[in-house]
Amino acid sequence: MKILVVGGGGREHALCWKLSRSPAVTDLFCAPGNAGIAEFATCVGLDGGDVEGVVRWARLEHVDLIVVGPEGPLALGLVDACEREGLAVFGPHQYAAQIETSKIFAKKIMERAHVPTAEYRRFTDYAEAHAYVGGLAPPYVIKADGLCAGKGAYVIRTADEGEQALKEILVDGIFGDAGKELIVERFLNGIEASYLAFTDGKSILPMLPSQDHKPLLDGDEGPNTGGMGAYTPVPFVDDTMDARINRSIMRPTIEALAEAGAPYSGVLYGGILFEDGAPYVLEFNARFGDPETQPILFKMESDILPIITACVEGRLSEIEAIRWRKGVAVCVVIASRGYPEKPEKGKLIHGLEDLRGREDVMVFHAGTKADTDGVYTSGGRVLGVTALGETYADAIHKAYEAVSCIDFEGMYFRRDIGKKALLLSNK
Ligand code: GLY
């Protein structure tokens, strides 16, 4: 089978690595890919945002299946464009992907599905929003409606911060059309998990819950990033909670999307917050998470290709529960100095060779570029060093030991990835 993966980050490296292990995959391509992906797939010089270019290339090459990684191409309608040309594609249509690309769309679906989420109000007018938040006691949350590269959500802790956020979004228009409308919602207080599930729009096949580390600095301090590390499974989601999340969140959301004329196929990612032991949806994403995908796929034993094709062909109910390798998987992201604001680029990476070929450690590349004399940094998040261990302590130890083999000028990583799990599970 000839497959094209769209994207070029750590998530797509994990997808290509996993797909490359599938016996049915004969040719693997990735657009645009990165230096790590190039070891498993042929990188194609096309950006996922070039919808026409990707579709034209896939048709010319007679690709059998396209797997879309990031949200950008979904928001631009890549899945719809592929289907119009008769190409098989994994991911939701543009309209259904609004579950991620519009906070208001997501809230309406959740209302329809009676999914637990924070109460909210929506605004387009600064004066109205200002008057409303004037009557609120912080903390509360303001979110721009559209896609804002992870920067559109503000946790408001003082009245001044609230005023500033409303001004930035509705008056200064720093997010353009994505900030024409916003929501103000109740602040949910608790611990977070990422809940990813495959779906064909009728059935769902859950993956293991995972936990991301979004803030830049240890102790969850500093600005938000795309994610500085992740691990799976999580000690605070047991089988009972897992069943509850499926029953009260994932399944009703898929049903409500179908009822709303937005049948959903691909991966549905629920960002779940546990407040006083009850799960609430913070947000949905319309794709695999990054970096959650790296530890999840490293731990997955089942072949991923039959699952993906079953989603595309609408027969996911035929697929058995996913089998997992024993233990815990932890991914530590190494970023460039200056990330997330202004990451440095072009630094030679040392130490990658020492970690090659290990069954328990895998270095997934994100912002990397190969040159004749080695691999160089080319983005904010550079590598996702992922390890499998028997316990949280073992996996964390292995991941950081592997991180210590890597060196490039200005490299930065959090030193507390997985610490919450270690404290909660005590192993
Ligand atoms: N790790 C957060 C995300 O994928 O959006």
Side-chain angles (χ1 to χ4, degrees), residues 102-120:
S102 165
K103 302 282 175 248
I104 293 165
F105 179 90
K107 285 287 192 190
K108 284 192 194 156
I109 293 293
M110 286 189 264
E111 270 166 8
R112 187 176 191 136
H114 305 291
V115 161
T117 183
E119 306 81 55
Y120 77 105

Side-chain angles (χ1 to χ4, degrees), residues 11 212 214 226-227 269 283 285 287-292 381:
R11 163 185 48 213
D212 189 10
K214 289 202 180 78
Y269 164 144
E283 62 175 3
N285 291 322
R287 52 172 171 81
F288 283 101
D290 190 344
E292 294 94 325
R381 289 190 291 176

Side-chain angles (χ1 to χ4, degrees), residues 118-123 127-143 154-163 165-166 182-188:
E119 306 81 55
Y120 77 105
R121 290 275 303 269
R122 55 190 280 197
F123 297 95
E128 274 179 34
H130 190 260
Y132 176 70
V133 302
L136 294 180
Y140 57 88
V141 179
I142 296 178
K143 290 179 180 168
Y154 299 65
V155 177
I156 305 300
R157 301 205 179 265
T158 65
D160 281 354
E161 280 179 13
E163 204 163 305
L166 292 181
L182 58 75
I183 61 170
V184 180
E185 69 175 15
R186 182 169 79 78
F187 175 74
L188 292 164

Side-chain angles (χ1 to χ4, degrees), residues 48 55 74 108 125 238 252 289 311 321 343 352 409:
V55 172
L74 298 173
K108 284 192 194 156
D125 182 71
D238 59 14
C311 289
L352 291 169
E409 194 193 317

